[in-house]
Amino acid sequence: SVASSASMVGAIVGQLTFGYVGDCLGRDRALHLTQLLTIAGALLSAFAFPLVPGDEGSVFVFIALTRLLLGVGVGGVYPLSA
């Protein structure tokens, strides 16, 4: 589905970018940032709502975007913990 694909794309983006973010901000601060992204993505996807009032299909777009955010957070942990 689109939501699971978005989380995989987010994980790849997180893996590719958070090594550099860890070099710039420091490993500890970058890990805190990945935790924030993961928690925010999970909470926002739990309380999903339609982006366009009256359009029930737009809730799936919202879930895909929040799963992308969650994926970036989860993927960003890998290069920082290695």
Side-chain angles (χ1 to χ4, degrees), residues 13 15 24 26 31-33 41 59 65 67 72 76 78:
V13 170
Q15 289 173 2
C24 293
L31 275 171
H32 284 99
L33 182 60
V59 72
L65 291 174
R67 293 292 173 94
V72 170
Y78 296 130

Side-chain angles (χ1 to χ4, degrees), residues 4-82:
S4 62
S5 298
S7 63
M8 286 293 150
V9 169
I12 292 169
V13 170
Q15 289 173 2
L16 292 174
T17 58
F18 268 91
Y20 180 72
V21 171
D23 289 340
C24 293
L25 296 179
R27 190 176 192 174
D28 190 46
R29 292 179 77 185
L31 275 171
H32 284 99
L33 182 60
T34 60
Q35 287 176 343
L36 282 172
L37 289 173
T38 303
I39 291 169
L43 285 176
L44 287 173
S45 67
F47 298 108
F49 58 88
L51 292 175
V52 179
D55 183 17
E56 300 299 323
S58 66
V59 72
F60 297 112
V61 175
F62 184 81
I63 289 174
L65 291 174
T66 57
R67 293 292 173 94
L68 179 75
L69 183 68
L70 180 117
V72 170
V74 170
V77 172
Y78 296 130
L80 295 173
S81 62

